[in-house]
Amino acid sequence: MRYGAAVIGRIVGYAAVMFGASAFTGFLNFLISVTGMVGRSKATYGEYMTYVMVYSTAQSFFMYGINGVVQKLAAGKDYERQVFCALAFRGFLALFLVTTGLGLAVGVAWSPNIGLGIAGISLIVMNTWSRYLVRTKLDARAEALLLGVPSISTALLQVLFVVLIPFEHGLIYGDFLAMVIAAVLGLVWLPRIAGLSFSELWSLTMPAE
């Protein structure tokens, strides 16, 4: 009975923390959108939304369905969690090389803003994968940190580039730098989630099945 109450209490606490974090980040995103619509021309804001659409659309390919698999196979299981952390680490490195290279090519040959959108795919994916893996430990504070820091960084950097240093495409620059922060945070958190070093994650033997 006590165990059941403790589990329910932990679930409710987790839900409360994540609701607060999601509501806060959602409000920040709303303020950012309003700032962009008011402070920039329709053409500039349209370019920003196109940039966001590029990485938002592409990232879904690397996210949808993954959370369910991770929660089903790794929740409460240390070795399985380590395997998924190793996969996330290696997958991010590969995706980073591909999207960065493609982003540079597109940026030089066509549109720098679209190139940044492509380069940002691996960055946002890394942070999301880390949040999925933290969720297997029901660590609400860590997940809220991984969710909240990028949103706060986005708001502060976009205000910096739009208001204080009025770059025409400040919304894009601020958002991209915030994604870099999000990716670094997610990457640094992987060893904490797995309880292994980066070298151990890299050398971890994958199960045959």
Coordinates of all heavy atoms in Angstrom, one line a residue, residues 48 51 112-113 116 157-158 161 167-178:
Y48 N 11.9 33.6 -41.1 CA 12.1 33.0 -39.8 C 11.2 31.7 -39.7 O 11.7 30.7 -39.3 CB 11.8 34.0 -38.7 CG 11.8 33.3 -37.3 CD1 12.9 32.7 -36.7 CD2 10.5 33.3 -36.6 CE1 12.8 32.1 -35.5 CE2 10.5 32.7 -35.3 CZ 11.6 32.1 -34.8 OH 11.5 31.5 -33.5
Y51 N 12.5 29.0 -41.8 CA 13.7 28.3 -41.2 C 13.2 27.4 -40.1 O 13.7 26.2 -40.0 CB 14.6 29.5 -40.6 CG 15.3 29.1 -39.3 CD1 16.6 28.5 -39.4 CD2 14.8 29.4 -38.1 CE1 17.3 28.2 -38.2 CE2 15.5 29.1 -36.9 CZ 16.8 28.5 -37.0 OH 17.5 28.2 -35.9
P112 N 21.4 31.1 -46.8 CA 22.0 30.9 -45.5 C 21.0 30.5 -44.4 O 21.3 29.7 -43.5 CB 22.7 32.2 -45.2 CG 22.9 32.8 -46.5 CD 21.7 32.4 -47.3
N113 N 19.8 31.1 -44.4 CA 18.8 30.8 -43.4 C 18.3 29.4 -43.5 O 18.1 28.7 -42.4 CB 17.7 31.8 -43.5 CG 18.1 33.2 -43.2 OD1 19.0 33.5 -42.4 ND2 17.4 34.2 -43.8
L116 N 21.0 27.1 -42.1 CA 21.0 27.1 -40.6 C 19.8 26.1 -40.2 O 20.0 25.4 -39.2 CB 20.8 28.5 -40.1 CG 22.0 29.4 -40.1 CD1 21.6 30.8 -39.6 CD2 23.2 28.8 -39.3
L157 N 18.4 35.2 -26.1 CA 19.2 35.5 -27.3 C 18.5 36.2 -28.4 O 19.0 37.1 -29.1 CB 19.8 34.1 -27.8 CG 20.9 33.5 -27.0 CD1 21.2 32.1 -27.4 CD2 22.2 34.3 -27.0
Q158 N 17.2 35.8 -28.6 CA 16.4 36.5 -29.6 C 16.1 38.0 -29.2 O 16.1 38.9 -30.0 CB 15.1 35.8 -29.8 CG 15.3 34.5 -30.6 CD 14.0 33.8 -31.0 OE1 13.0 33.9 -30.3 NE2 14.1 33.1 -32.2
F161 N 19.4 39.8 -30.0 CA 19.7 40.0 -31.4 C 18.6 40.9 -32.1 O 18.8 41.5 -33.1 CB 19.8 38.7 -32.1 CG 21.1 38.0 -31.8 CD1 21.1 36.6 -31.5 CD2 22.3 38.7 -31.8 CE1 22.3 36.0 -31.2 CE2 23.5 38.0 -31.5 CZ 23.5 36.7 -31.2
F167 N 19.8 42.9 -35.4 CA 20.1 42.2 -36.6 C 18.7 42.0 -37.3 O 17.7 41.7 -36.7 CB 20.8 40.9 -36.4 CG 22.2 41.1 -36.0 CD1 22.6 40.4 -34.8 CD2 23.1 41.8 -36.7 CE1 24.0 40.5 -34.4 CE2 24.4 42.0 -36.3 CZ 24.8 41.3 -35.1
E168 N 18.8 42.1 -38.7 CA 17.5 41.8 -39.4 C 17.0 40.4 -39.2 O 15.8 40.2 -39.1 CB 17.8 42.0 -40.9 CG 16.6 41.8 -41.8 CD 15.5 42.9 -41.6 OE1 15.8 43.9 -41.0 OE2 14.4 42.6 -42.0
H169 N 17.9 39.5 -39.2 CA 17.5 38.1 -39.0 C 17.8 37.6 -37.5 O 18.3 36.5 -37.3 CB 18.1 37.2 -40.0 CG 17.6 37.5 -41.4 ND1 16.3 37.2 -41.8 CD2 18.2 38.0 -42.5 CE1 16.2 37.5 -43.1 NE2 17.3 38.1 -43.5
G170 N 17.7 38.5 -36.6 CA 18.0 38.2 -35.2 C 17.2 37.0 -34.6 O 17.8 36.3 -33.8
L171 N 16.0 36.9 -35.1 CA 15.2 35.7 -34.6 C 15.8 34.4 -34.9 O 15.9 33.5 -34.1 CB 13.8 35.8 -35.2 CG 12.9 36.9 -34.6 CD1 11.6 37.0 -35.4 CD2 12.5 36.6 -33.1
I172 N 16.4 34.3 -36.1 CA 17.0 33.1 -36.6 C 18.3 32.9 -35.9 O 18.6 31.8 -35.4 CB 17.3 33.1 -38.1 CG1 15.9 33.1 -38.9 CG2 18.1 32.0 -38.6 CD1 16.1 33.3 -40.4
Y173 N 19.1 33.9 -35.7 CA 20.4 33.7 -35.1 C 20.3 33.4 -33.6 O 21.0 32.5 -33.1 CB 21.2 35.0 -35.2 CG 21.4 35.5 -36.6 CD1 21.6 36.9 -36.9 CD2 21.5 34.6 -37.7 CE1 21.8 37.4 -38.2 CE2 21.7 35.1 -39.0 CZ 21.8 36.5 -39.2 OH 22.0 36.9 -40.5
G174 N 19.3 34.0 -32.9 CA 19.1 33.7 -31.5 C 18.6 32.3 -31.4 O 19.0 31.5 -30.4
D175 N 17.7 31.9 -32.2 CA 17.1 30.5 -32.1 C 18.2 29.4 -32.4 O 18.3 28.4 -31.7 CB 16.0 30.3 -33.2 CG 15.3 29.0 -33.1 OD1 14.5 28.8 -32.1 OD2 15.5 28.1 -33.9
F176 N 19.0 29.7 -33.4 CA 20.1 28.7 -33.7 C 21.1 28.6 -32.6 O 21.5 27.5 -32.2 CB 20.8 29.1 -35.0 CG 21.8 28.1 -35.5 CD1 21.3 27.0 -36.2 CD2 23.1 28.2 -35.2 CE1 22.3 26.0 -36.6 CE2 24.0 27.3 -35.7 CZ 23.6 26.2 -36.3
L177 N 21.5 29.7 -32.0 CA 22.5 29.6 -30.9 C 21.8 28.9 -29.7 O 22.5 28.2 -29.0 CB 22.9 31.0 -30.5 CG 23.9 31.7 -31.5 CD1 24.2 33.1 -31.0 CD2 25.2 30.9 -31.6
A178 N 20.6 29.1 -29.5 CA 19.9 28.4 -28.4 C 19.8 26.9 -28.7 O 19.9 26.1 -27.7 CB 18.5 29.0 -28.2

